[in-house]
Coordinates of all heavy atoms in Angstrom, one line a residue:
M1 N 6.5 18.7 9.0 CA 5.5 17.7 9.0 C 4.1 18.3 9.0 O 3.9 19.3 9.6 CB 5.7 16.7 10.1 CG 7.0 16.1 10.2 SD 7.3 14.3 10.1 CE 5.8 13.5 10.2
V2 N 3.1 17.6 8.5 CA 1.8 18.1 8.4 C 0.8 17.0 8.9 O 0.9 15.8 8.6 CB 1.4 18.4 6.9 CG1 -0.1 18.8 6.8 CG2 2.3 19.6 6.4
R3 N -0.1 17.4 9.7 CA -1.2 16.6 10.2 C -2.5 17.0 9.6 O -2.8 18.1 9.5 CB -1.2 16.7 11.7 CG -2.2 15.8 12.4 CD -1.8 14.4 12.9 NE -0.4 14.0 13.0 CZ 0.4 14.0 14.1 NH1 -0.1 14.4 15.2 NH2 1.6 13.6 14.0
H4 N -3.2 16.0 9.1 CA -4.5 16.1 8.5 C -5.5 15.3 9.3 O -5.4 14.1 9.4 CB -4.4 15.6 7.0 CG -5.7 15.6 6.3 ND1 -6.4 16.7 5.9 CD2 -6.4 14.5 5.8 CE1 -7.5 16.3 5.2 NE2 -7.5 15.0 5.1
I5 N -6.5 16.0 9.9 CA -7.5 15.3 10.7 C -8.9 15.5 10.1 O -9.2 16.6 9.7 CB -7.5 15.8 12.2 CG1 -6.1 15.6 12.8 CG2 -8.6 15.1 13.0 CD1 -5.9 16.2 14.1
V6 N -9.6 14.4 10.0 CA -11.0 14.5 9.5 C -11.9 13.8 10.4 O -11.7 12.7 10.9 CB -11.1 13.8 8.1 CG1 -12.5 14.0 7.5 CG2 -10.1 14.3 7.1
F7 N -13.0 14.5 10.8 CA -14.1 13.9 11.6 C -15.2 13.6 10.7 O -15.6 14.4 9.9 CB -14.5 14.9 12.7 CG -13.4 15.2 13.7 CD1 -12.8 16.4 13.7 CD2 -13.0 14.3 14.6 CE1 -11.7 16.7 14.6 CE2 -12.0 14.6 15.5 CZ -11.4 15.8 15.5
M8 N -15.8 12.4 10.9 CA -16.9 12.0 10.1 C -18.1 11.6 10.9 O -18.0 11.0 11.9 CB -16.5 10.8 9.2 CG -15.3 11.1 8.4 SD -14.8 9.6 7.4 CE -13.2 10.2 6.9
K9 N -19.3 12.0 10.3 CA -20.6 11.6 10.9 C -21.4 10.9 9.8 O -21.5 11.4 8.7 CB -21.3 12.8 11.5 CG -22.6 12.3 12.2 CD -23.3 13.5 12.9 CE -22.5 14.0 14.1 NZ -22.8 13.3 15.3
F10 N -21.8 9.7 10.1 CA -22.6 8.9 9.2 C -24.1 8.9 9.5 O -24.5 9.0 10.7 CB -22.1 7.4 9.2 CG -20.6 7.3 9.0 CD1 -19.8 7.1 10.0 CD2 -20.1 7.4 7.7 CE1 -18.4 7.0 9.8 CE2 -18.7 7.3 7.5 CZ -17.9 7.1 8.6
H11 N -24.9 8.8 8.5 CA -26.4 8.7 8.7 C -26.7 7.4 9.4 O -27.7 7.3 10.2 CB -27.1 8.8 7.4 CG -27.0 10.2 6.8 ND1 -27.6 11.3 7.3 CD2 -26.3 10.6 5.7 CE1 -27.3 12.4 6.6 NE2 -26.5 12.0 5.6
D12 N -25.9 6.4 9.2 CA -26.1 5.1 9.8 C -24.7 4.7 10.5 O -23.7 4.4 9.8 CB -26.5 4.1 8.8 CG -26.6 2.7 9.3 OD1 -26.4 2.4 10.5 OD2 -27.0 1.8 8.5
F13 N -24.7 4.7 11.8 CA -23.5 4.5 12.6 C -22.8 3.2 12.2 O -21.6 3.0 12.3 CB -23.7 4.5 14.1 CG -22.5 4.4 14.9 CD1 -21.6 5.4 15.1 CD2 -22.2 3.2 15.6 CE1 -20.4 5.3 15.8 CE2 -21.1 3.0 16.3 CZ -20.2 4.1 16.4
S14 N -23.6 2.2 11.7 CA -23.1 0.9 11.4 C -22.1 1.0 10.2 O -21.3 0.0 10.0 CB -24.2 -0.1 11.1 OG -24.8 0.3 9.9
L15 N -22.0 2.1 9.5 CA -21.1 2.3 8.4 C -19.7 2.6 8.9 O -18.7 2.6 8.1 CB -21.6 3.3 7.5 CG -22.8 3.0 6.7 CD1 -23.4 4.2 6.0 CD2 -22.5 1.9 5.6
A16 N -19.6 3.0 10.2 CA -18.3 3.4 10.7 C -17.2 2.3 10.6 O -16.1 2.6 10.2 CB -18.4 3.8 12.2
Q17 N -17.5 1.1 10.8 CA -16.5 0.0 10.8 C -16.1 -0.2 9.3 O -14.9 -0.3 9.0 CB -17.0 -1.3 11.3 CG -16.0 -2.4 11.4 CD -14.8 -2.1 12.2 OE1 -14.8 -1.5 13.3 NE2 -13.6 -2.4 11.7
K18 N -17.0 -0.2 8.4 CA -16.6 -0.3 7.0 C -15.8 0.9 6.5 O -14.8 0.7 5.8 CB -17.9 -0.4 6.1 CG -17.6 -0.6 4.6 CD -18.8 -0.9 3.8 CE -18.4 -1.2 2.4 NZ -19.5 -1.6 1.5
A19 N -16.1 2.1 7.0 CA -15.3 3.3 6.6 C -13.9 3.1 7.2 O -12.9 3.4 6.5 CB -16.0 4.5 7.2
K20 N -13.8 2.6 8.4 CA -12.5 2.4 9.0 C -11.6 1.5 8.2 O -10.4 1.8 7.9 CB -12.6 1.9 10.4 CG -11.3 1.6 11.1 CD -11.4 1.1 12.5 CE -10.1 0.9 13.2 NZ -10.2 0.6 14.6
E21 N -12.2 0.4 7.7 CA -11.4 -0.5 6.9 C -11.0 0.1 5.6 O -9.9 0.0 5.1 CB -12.3 -1.8 6.6 CG -12.5 -2.6 7.9 CD -13.6 -3.6 7.8 OE1 -14.1 -3.9 6.7 OE2 -14.0 -4.1 8.8
K22 N -11.9 0.8 4.9 CA -11.6 1.5 3.7 C -10.5 2.5 3.9 O -9.6 2.6 3.1 CB -12.8 2.2 3.1 CG -13.8 1.2 2.4 CD -15.0 2.0 1.8 CE -15.8 1.2 0.9 NZ -15.1 1.0 -0.4
L23 N -10.6 3.3 4.9 CA -9.6 4.4 5.2 C -8.2 3.8 5.4 O -7.2 4.3 4.9 CB -10.1 5.3 6.3 CG -11.3 6.1 6.1 CD1 -11.9 6.6 7.4 CD2 -10.9 7.3 5.1
L24 N -8.2 2.7 6.2 CA -6.9 2.1 6.5 C -6.2 1.5 5.3 O -5.0 1.4 5.2 CB -7.0 1.1 7.6 CG -7.3 1.6 9.0 CD1 -7.6 0.5 10.0 CD2 -6.1 2.4 9.5
S25 N -7.0 1.2 4.3 CA -6.5 0.6 3.0 C -5.6 1.6 2.3 O -4.8 1.2 1.4 CB -7.6 0.1 2.1 OG -8.3 1.1 1.5
M26 N -5.8 2.9 2.6 CA -5.0 3.9 1.9 C -3.5 3.7 2.1 O -2.7 4.1 1.3 CB -5.4 5.3 2.3 CG -6.8 5.7 1.8 SD -7.2 7.4 2.0 CE -7.2 7.6 3.8
K27 N -3.2 3.2 3.3 CA -1.8 3.0 3.6 C -1.0 2.2 2.6 O 0.2 2.4 2.3 CB -1.6 2.3 5.0 CG -0.2 2.3 5.5 CD -0.2 1.8 6.9 CE 1.2 2.0 7.5 NZ 1.3 1.7 8.9
D28 N -1.7 1.2 1.9 CA -1.0 0.4 1.0 C -1.0 1.0 -0.5 O -0.5 0.4 -1.4 CB -1.7 -1.0 0.9 CG -1.6 -1.7 2.2 OD1 -0.6 -1.6 2.9 OD2 -2.5 -2.5 2.6
H29 N -1.7 2.1 -0.6 CA -1.9 2.6 -2.0 C -1.4 4.1 -2.2 O -1.2 4.5 -3.3 CB -3.4 2.6 -2.4 CG -3.9 1.2 -2.4 ND1 -3.8 0.4 -3.5 CD2 -4.6 0.5 -1.5 CE1 -4.4 -0.8 -3.3 NE2 -4.9 -0.7 -2.0
I30 N -1.1 4.8 -1.1 CA -0.7 6.2 -1.3 C 0.6 6.4 -0.6 O 0.7 6.4 0.6 CB -1.8 7.1 -0.7 CG1 -3.2 6.9 -1.3 CG2 -1.4 8.6 -0.8 CD1 -4.3 7.7 -0.8
E31 N 1.6 6.5 -1.4 CA 3.0 6.5 -1.0 C 3.4 7.7 0.0 O 4.2 7.5 0.9 CB 4.0 6.6 -2.2 CG 3.6 5.7 -3.3 CD 2.5 6.1 -4.2 OE1 2.3 7.4 -4.5 OE2 1.7 5.3 -4.6
V32 N 2.8 8.8 -0.2 CA 3.1 10.0 0.6 C 2.5 10.0 2.0 O 2.9 10.8 2.8 CB 2.7 11.3 -0.1 CG1 3.5 11.5 -1.4 CG2 1.2 11.4 -0.4
L33 N 1.7 9.0 2.2 CA 1.0 8.9 3.5 C 2.0 8.2 4.5 O 2.3 7.1 4.4 CB -0.3 8.0 3.3 CG -1.1 7.8 4.6 CD1 -1.6 9.1 5.2 CD2 -2.3 6.9 4.2
Q34 N 2.5 9.0 5.4 CA 3.5 8.5 6.4 C 2.9 7.8 7.5 O 3.5 6.8 8.0 CB 4.3 9.7 6.9 CG 5.2 10.3 5.9 CD 6.2 11.2 6.5 OE1 6.1 11.7 7.6 NE2 7.3 11.5 5.8
D35 N 1.7 8.2 8.0 CA 1.1 7.5 9.1 C -0.4 7.7 9.0 O -0.9 8.8 8.5 CB 1.6 8.1 10.5 CG 1.2 7.2 11.6 OD1 1.3 6.0 11.5 OD2 0.8 7.8 12.7
I36 N -1.1 6.7 9.5 CA -2.6 6.8 9.5 C -3.2 6.2 10.7 O -2.7 5.1 11.2 CB -3.2 6.2 8.2 CG1 -4.7 6.4 8.1 CG2 -2.8 4.7 8.1 CD1 -5.4 6.0 6.8
E37 N -4.2 6.8 11.3 CA -4.8 6.3 12.5 C -6.3 6.5 12.3 O -6.7 7.6 11.8 CB -4.4 7.0 13.7 CG -5.0 6.5 15.0 CD -4.4 7.2 16.2 OE1 -3.2 7.7 16.2 OE2 -5.1 7.3 17.2
V38 N -7.2 5.5 12.5 CA -8.6 5.7 12.4 C -9.2 5.2 13.7 O -9.0 4.1 14.1 CB -9.2 4.9 11.2 CG1 -10.7 5.1 11.1 CG2 -8.5 5.3 9.9
G39 N -10.1 6.0 14.3 CA -10.8 5.6 15.5 C -12.3 5.8 15.4 O -12.7 6.8 14.9
I40 N -13.0 4.9 16.0 CA -14.5 5.0 16.0 C -14.9 5.5 17.4 O -14.4 4.9 18.4 CB -15.1 3.7 15.7 CG1 -14.7 3.3 14.3 CG2 -16.6 3.7 15.9 CD1 -15.2 1.9 13.9
D41 N -15.7 6.5 17.5 CA -16.2 7.1 18.7 C -16.9 6.1 19.6 O -17.8 5.4 19.0 CB -17.0 8.3 18.5 CG -17.5 8.9 19.7 OD1 -16.7 9.4 20.5 OD2 -18.8 8.9 19.9
F42 N -16.6 6.0 20.8 CA -17.4 5.1 21.7 C -18.4 5.8 22.6 O -19.3 5.2 23.2 CB -16.5 4.2 22.6 CG -15.5 5.0 23.5 CD1 -16.0 5.4 24.7 CD2 -14.2 5.2 23.1 CE1 -15.1 6.2 25.5 CE2 -13.4 5.9 23.9 CZ -13.8 6.4 25.1
S43 N -18.2 7.1 22.8 CA -19.1 7.9 23.7 C -20.5 8.1 23.1 O -21.4 8.2 23.9 CB -18.4 9.2 24.1 OG -18.3 10.1 23.0
R44 N -20.6 8.3 21.8 CA -21.8 8.5 21.1 C -22.7 9.6 21.7 O -23.9 9.6 21.7 CB -22.7 7.2 21.1 CG -22.0 5.9 20.6 CD -21.7 5.9 19.1 NE -22.8 6.2 18.3 CZ -23.8 5.4 17.9 NH1 -23.8 4.2 18.3 NH2 -24.8 5.8 17.1
S45 N -22.0 10.7 22.2 CA -22.7 11.8 22.7 C -23.3 12.7 21.6 O -22.8 12.6 20.4 CB -21.8 12.7 23.6 OG -20.9 13.5 22.8
P46 N -24.2 13.6 21.8 CA -24.8 14.4 20.8 C -23.7 15.3 20.1 O -23.9 15.6 18.9 CB -25.8 15.3 21.5 CG -26.2 14.5 22.7 CD -24.9 13.7 23.1
R47 N -22.6 15.6 20.8 CA -21.6 16.5 20.2 C -20.6 15.7 19.4 O -19.7 16.2 18.7 CB -20.9 17.2 21.3 CG -21.7 18.2 22.1 CD -21.0 18.9 23.2 NE -19.8 19.5 22.6 CZ -18.6 19.7 23.2 NH1 -18.5 19.3 24.5 NH2 -17.6 20.3 22.7
S48 N -20.6 14.3 19.6 CA -19.6 13.5 19.0 C -19.7 13.3 17.5 O -20.9 13.3 17.0 CB -19.6 12.1 19.6 OG -19.3 12.1 20.9
Y49 N -18.6 13.2 16.8 CA -18.6 12.6 15.4 C -18.4 11.1 15.6 O -17.9 10.7 16.6 CB -17.6 13.3 14.6 CG -18.1 14.6 13.9 CD1 -18.4 15.7 14.7 CD2 -18.3 14.7 12.6 CE1 -18.9 16.9 14.2 CE2 -18.8 15.8 12.0 CZ -19.1 16.9 12.8 OH -19.6 18.0 12.2
D50 N -18.7 10.4 14.5 CA -18.6 8.9 14.6 C -17.2 8.3 14.4 O -16.9 7.3 15.0 CB -19.5 8.3 13.6 CG -21.0 8.7 13.7 OD1 -21.4 8.8 14.9 OD2 -21.7 8.9 12.7
L51 N -16.4 9.1 13.7 CA -15.1 8.5 13.3 C -14.1 9.6 13.2 O -14.4 10.7 12.7 CB -15.2 7.7 12.0 CG -14.0 7.0 11.5 CD1 -14.4 5.8 10.8 CD2 -13.3 7.9 10.5
A52 N -12.8 9.4 13.6 CA -11.7 10.3 13.4 C -10.7 9.7 12.5 O -10.3 8.5 12.8 CB -11.2 10.8 14.7
L53 N -10.2 10.4 11.5 CA -9.1 10.0 10.7 C -7.9 10.9 10.9 O -8.1 12.2 10.8 CB -9.5 10.1 9.2 CG -8.3 10.0 8.2 CD1 -7.7 8.6 8.2 CD2 -8.8 10.3 6.8
V54 N -6.8 10.4 11.3 CA -5.6 11.2 11.6 C -4.5 10.7 10.7 O -4.1 9.5 10.7 CB -5.2 11.1 13.1 CG1 -3.9 12.0 13.3 CG2 -6.3 11.5 14.0
T55 N -4.0 11.6 9.8 CA -3.0 11.2 8.9 C -1.8 12.2 9.0 O -2.0 13.4 9.4 CB -3.5 11.2 7.4 OG1 -4.1 12.4 7.1 CG2 -4.4 10.1 7.2
T56 N -0.6 11.7 8.6 CA 0.6 12.5 8.7 C 1.3 12.5 7.4 O 1.5 11.4 6.8 CB 1.5 12.0 9.8 OG1 0.8 12.0 11.0 CG2 2.7 12.9 10.0
F57 N 1.9 13.7 7.0 CA 2.6 13.8 5.7 C 3.9 14.6 6.0 O 3.9 15.4 6.9 CB 1.7 14.6 4.7 CG 0.4 13.9 4.4 CD1 -0.7 14.2 5.2 CD2 0.4 12.9 3.5 CE1 -1.9 13.5 5.0 CE2 -0.8 12.2 3.2 CZ -2.0 12.5 4.0
A58 N 4.9 14.5 5.2 CA 6.1 15.2 5.3 C 6.0 16.6 5.0 O 6.6 17.5 5.7 CB 7.2 14.6 4.4
T59 N 5.2 17.0 4.0 CA 5.0 18.4 3.6 C 3.6 18.7 3.2 O 2.8 17.8 3.0 CB 5.9 18.6 2.3 OG1 5.4 17.8 1.2 CG2 7.4 18.3 2.6
K60 N 3.4 20.0 3.0 CA 2.1 20.4 2.5 C 1.8 19.9 1.1 O 0.7 19.6 0.7 CB 2.0 22.0 2.5 CG 1.9 22.6 3.9 CD 1.9 24.1 3.8 CE 1.9 24.7 5.2 NZ 2.0 26.2 5.1
E61 N 2.9 19.8 0.3 CA 2.8 19.3 -1.1 C 2.4 17.8 -1.0 O 1.6 17.4 -1.9 CB 4.2 19.5 -1.8 CG 4.5 20.9 -2.1 CD 5.1 21.7 -0.9 OE1 5.5 21.1 0.1 OE2 5.0 22.9 -0.9
D62 N 2.9 17.1 -0.1 CA 2.5 15.7 0.0 C 1.0 15.6 0.4 O 0.3 14.7 -0.1 CB 3.4 14.9 1.1 CG 4.7 14.6 0.5 OD1 5.0 14.8 -0.7 OD2 5.6 14.2 1.4
L63 N 0.6 16.5 1.3 CA -0.9 16.5 1.6 C -1.7 16.7 0.3 O -2.7 16.1 0.1 CB -1.2 17.5 2.6 CG -2.6 17.8 3.0 CD1 -3.3 16.5 3.5 CD2 -2.8 18.9 4.0
E64 N -1.3 17.7 -0.5 CA -2.0 17.9 -1.8 C -1.9 16.7 -2.7 O -2.9 16.4 -3.3 CB -1.4 19.2 -2.4 CG -2.0 19.5 -3.7 CD -3.5 19.9 -3.6 OE1 -4.0 20.1 -2.5 OE2 -4.2 19.9 -4.7
T65 N -0.8 16.1 -2.8 CA -0.7 14.8 -3.6 C -1.7 13.8 -3.1 O -2.3 13.2 -3.9 CB 0.8 14.3 -3.5 OG1 1.7 15.2 -4.0 CG2 0.9 13.0 -4.3
Y66 N -1.8 13.6 -1.8 CA -2.8 12.7 -1.2 C -4.2 13.2 -1.6 O -5.0 12.3 -2.0 CB -2.6 12.7 0.3 CG -3.8 12.3 1.1 CD1 -4.0 10.9 1.4 CD2 -4.6 13.2 1.7 CE1 -5.1 10.5 2.1 CE2 -5.7 12.8 2.5 CZ -5.9 11.4 2.7 OH -6.9 11.0 3.5
R67 N -4.5 14.4 -1.4 CA -5.8 15.0 -1.7 C -6.3 14.6 -3.1 O -7.5 14.2 -3.3 CB -5.9 16.5 -1.5 CG -7.3 17.0 -1.5 CD -7.3 18.5 -1.5 NE -6.8 19.2 -2.7 CZ -7.4 19.2 -3.8 NH1 -8.6 18.7 -4.0 NH2 -6.9 19.8 -4.9
I68 N -5.4 14.7 -4.1 CA -5.8 14.5 -5.5 C -5.5 13.1 -6.0 O -5.8 12.7 -7.1 CB -5.2 15.5 -6.4 CG1 -3.7 15.4 -6.4 CG2 -5.7 16.9 -6.1 CD1 -3.0 16.3 -7.5
H69 N -4.9 12.3 -5.1 CA -4.5 10.9 -5.5 C -5.8 10.1 -6.0 O -6.8 10.2 -5.3 CB -3.9 10.2 -4.3 CG -3.2 8.9 -4.7 ND1 -3.8 7.8 -5.0 CD2 -1.8 8.6 -4.8 CE1 -3.0 6.8 -5.3 NE2 -1.7 7.3 -5.2
P70 N -5.6 9.4 -7.1 CA -6.8 8.7 -7.6 C -7.4 7.7 -6.7 O -8.6 7.5 -6.6 CB -6.2 7.9 -8.9 CG -5.0 8.7 -9.3 CD -4.5 9.3 -8.0
Y71 N -6.6 7.0 -5.9 CA -7.2 6.0 -4.9 C -8.0 6.8 -3.9 O -9.1 6.4 -3.5 CB -6.0 5.2 -4.2 CG -6.6 4.1 -3.4 CD1 -6.8 2.9 -4.0 CD2 -6.9 4.2 -2.0 CE1 -7.4 1.8 -3.2 CE2 -7.4 3.2 -1.3 CZ -7.6 2.0 -1.9 OH -8.2 0.9 -1.2
H72 N -7.5 7.9 -3.4 CA -8.2 8.7 -2.4 C -9.5 9.2 -3.0 O -10.6 9.1 -2.4 CB -7.3 9.8 -1.9 CG -8.0 10.7 -0.9 ND1 -8.2 12.0 -1.2 CD2 -8.4 10.5 0.4 CE1 -8.8 12.6 -0.1 NE2 -8.9 11.7 0.8
Q73 N -9.4 9.8 -4.2 CA -10.6 10.4 -4.8 C -11.6 9.4 -5.2 O -12.8 9.5 -4.9 CB -10.2 11.2 -6.0 CG -9.5 12.5 -5.7 CD -10.5 13.5 -4.9 OE1 -11.6 13.7 -5.3 NE2 -10.0 14.0 -3.8
N74 N -11.2 8.3 -5.8 CA -12.1 7.3 -6.4 C -12.6 6.2 -5.5 O -13.8 5.8 -5.6 CB -11.5 6.6 -7.7 CG -11.1 7.7 -8.7 OD1 -11.7 8.7 -8.9 ND2 -10.1 7.4 -9.5
K75 N -11.8 5.8 -4.6 CA -12.2 4.7 -3.6 C -12.7 5.2 -2.3 O -13.5 4.6 -1.7 CB -11.0 3.8 -3.4 CG -10.4 3.1 -4.6 CD -11.4 2.1 -5.1 CE -10.7 1.3 -6.3 NZ -11.7 0.4 -6.9
I76 N -12.2 6.4 -1.9 CA -12.5 6.9 -0.5 C -13.6 8.0 -0.6 O -14.7 7.9 -0.1 CB -11.3 7.3 0.3 CG1 -10.2 6.2 0.3 CG2 -11.6 7.8 1.7 CD1 -10.7 4.9 0.9
V77 N -13.1 9.1 -1.2 CA -14.0 10.3 -1.2 C -15.3 10.0 -1.9 O -16.4 10.4 -1.4 CB -13.3 11.5 -1.9 CG1 -14.2 12.7 -2.1 CG2 -12.0 11.9 -1.0
A78 N -15.3 9.4 -3.1 CA -16.5 9.0 -3.8 C -17.4 8.2 -3.0 O -18.6 8.5 -2.9 CB -16.1 8.3 -5.1
W79 N -16.9 7.2 -2.3 CA -17.8 6.4 -1.4 C -18.4 7.2 -0.2 O -19.5 7.1 0.1 CB -17.0 5.2 -0.9 CG -17.8 4.3 0.0 CD1 -18.8 3.4 -0.5 CD2 -17.8 4.2 1.4 NE1 -19.3 2.7 0.6 CE2 -18.7 3.2 1.8 CE3 -17.0 4.8 2.4 CZ2 -19.0 2.8 3.1 CZ3 -17.3 4.4 3.7 CH2 -18.2 3.5 4.1
L80 N -17.5 8.0 0.4 CA -18.1 8.8 1.5 C -19.2 9.8 1.0 O -20.2 10.0 1.7 CB -16.9 9.6 2.2 CG -15.9 8.8 2.9 CD1 -14.7 9.6 3.3 CD2 -16.5 8.1 4.1
K81 N -19.0 10.4 -0.2 CA -20.1 11.2 -0.7 C -21.3 10.4 -1.0 O -22.4 10.9 -0.8 CB -19.6 11.9 -1.9 CG -18.6 13.1 -1.6 CD -18.1 13.8 -2.9 CE -17.2 14.9 -2.6 NZ -16.7 15.6 -3.8
E82 N -21.1 9.2 -1.6 CA -22.2 8.4 -2.0 C -23.1 8.0 -0.8 O -24.3 8.0 -0.9 CB -21.7 7.1 -2.6 CG -22.7 6.1 -3.0 CD -22.0 4.8 -3.6 OE1 -21.1 5.0 -4.5 OE2 -22.4 3.7 -3.2
I83 N -22.5 7.8 0.4 CA -23.3 7.4 1.5 C -23.7 8.6 2.4 O -24.3 8.5 3.4 CB -22.6 6.4 2.4 CG1 -21.3 6.9 3.0 CG2 -22.3 5.1 1.7 CD1 -20.6 6.1 4.1
G84 N -23.3 9.8 1.9 CA -23.8 11.1 2.6 C -23.1 11.4 3.9 O -23.7 11.8 4.8
T85 N -21.8 11.2 3.9 CA -21.0 11.4 5.1 C -20.8 12.9 5.3 O -20.4 13.7 4.4 CB -19.6 10.7 5.0 OG1 -19.9 9.4 4.7 CG2 -18.9 10.9 6.3
E86 N -21.0 13.4 6.6 CA -20.7 14.8 7.0 C -19.3 14.8 7.5 O -18.9 13.9 8.3 CB -21.7 15.2 8.0 CG -21.4 16.6 8.5 CD -22.2 17.0 9.7 OE1 -23.3 16.4 9.9 OE2 -21.8 17.9 10.5
T87 N -18.5 15.8 7.0 CA -17.1 15.8 7.5 C -16.7 17.2 7.9 O -17.2 18.2 7.5 CB -16.1 15.4 6.3 OG1 -16.3 16.3 5.2 CG2 -16.4 13.9 5.9
K88 N -15.7 17.2 8.8 CA -15.0 18.4 9.2 C -13.5 18.1 9.2 O -13.1 17.0 9.6 CB -15.4 18.8 10.7 CG -16.9 19.1 10.8 CD -17.3 20.3 10.1 CE -18.8 20.6 10.3 NZ -19.4 21.5 9.4
V89 N -12.7 19.1 8.8 CA -11.3 18.9 8.6 C -10.5 19.9 9.3 O -10.8 21.1 9.3 CB -11.0 18.9 7.1 CG1 -9.5 18.8 6.8 CG2 -11.8 17.9 6.3
V90 N -9.3 19.5 9.8 CA -8.3 20.4 10.3 C -6.9 20.0 9.8 O -6.6 18.8 9.9 CB -8.2 20.4 11.9 CG1 -7.1 21.3 12.4 CG2 -9.6 20.8 12.5
D91 N -6.2 20.9 9.2 CA -4.8 20.7 8.7 C -3.9 21.6 9.4 O -4.2 22.8 9.5 CB -4.7 20.9 7.2 CG -5.6 20.0 6.4 OD1 -5.6 18.8 6.7 OD2 -6.2 20.5 5.4
Y92 N -2.8 21.1 9.9 CA -1.8 21.9 10.6 C -0.4 21.4 10.6 O -0.2 20.2 10.3 CB -2.2 22.2 12.1 CG -2.3 20.9 12.9 CD1 -1.2 20.5 13.7 CD2 -3.5 20.2 13.0 CE1 -1.3 19.4 14.5 CE2 -3.6 19.0 13.8 CZ -2.5 18.6 14.5 OH -2.6 17.5 15.3
E93 N 0.6 22.2 10.8 CA 2.0 21.8 10.8 C 2.4 21.4 12.2 O 2.0 22.0 13.1 CB 2.9 23.0 10.3 CG 2.6 23.2 8.8 CD 3.6 24.3 8.3 OE1 3.3 25.5 8.5 OE2 4.6 23.9 7.6
I94 N 3.2 20.4 12.2 CA 3.7 19.9 13.5 C 5.2 19.9 13.5 O 5.8 20.0 12.4 CB 3.2 18.5 13.8 CG1 3.5 17.5 12.7 CG2 1.7 18.5 14.1 CD1 3.2 16.0 13.0

């Protein structure tokens, strides 16, 4: 199994809720996505990112399928780039 975690920081924190809704919509469109969790940071410390996305896949190949999936690229990644989201990613096997 593979875990894919993305931390996001928005120029406008009010975008976090909209991002959460968009990210959760992937569950209905990307078959290889086994589990998804999205959390909005409540501490708002200077070290914090605004949102965490945690996804789970069966294999590294499924993670790659997700990465290039049209819904992910066109509906999620494109929007995050459009609004200027800063991201950090960690991928690991579990």
Side-chain angles (χ1 to χ4, degrees):
M1 305 240 348
V2 173
R3 183 90 14 101
H4 172 68
I5 301 175
V6 183
F7 296 106
M8 301 178 192
K9 187 173 287 275
F10 305 102
H11 293 287
D12 178 355
F13 183 76
S14 68
L15 291 168
Q17 184 60 45
K18 184 172 184 177
K20 179 177 181 175
E21 293 164 12
K22 283 182 165 288
L23 292 164
L24 288 172
S25 75
M26 292 191 294
K27 187 171 187 173
D28 297 328
H29 297 277
I30 303 175
E31 315 76 39
V32 295
L33 181 57
Q34 290 192 340
D35 191 43
I36 184 169
E37 181 178 333
V38 180
I40 298 174
D41 179 64
F42 61 82
S43 66
R44 307 288 314 275
S45 79
R47 294 181 56 213
S48 298
Y49 274 70
D50 299 323
L51 181 145
L53 167 67
V54 180
T55 52
T56 305
F57 302 90
T59 66
K60 291 178 185 177
E61 292 77 20
D62 285 351
L63 174 58
E64 179 62 15
T65 298
Y66 159 83
R67 189 187 68 73
I68 63 173
H69 193 284
Y71 191 86
H72 178 247
Q73 286 297 313
N74 301 330
K75 300 290 186 186
I76 307 300
V77 174
W79 181 75
L80 291 170
K81 287 181 179 179
E82 180 183 310
I83 64 169
T85 307
E86 177 187 335
T87 60
K88 300 293 181 192
V89 178
V90 175
D91 297 319
Y92 60 94
E93 292 184 280
I94 54 174

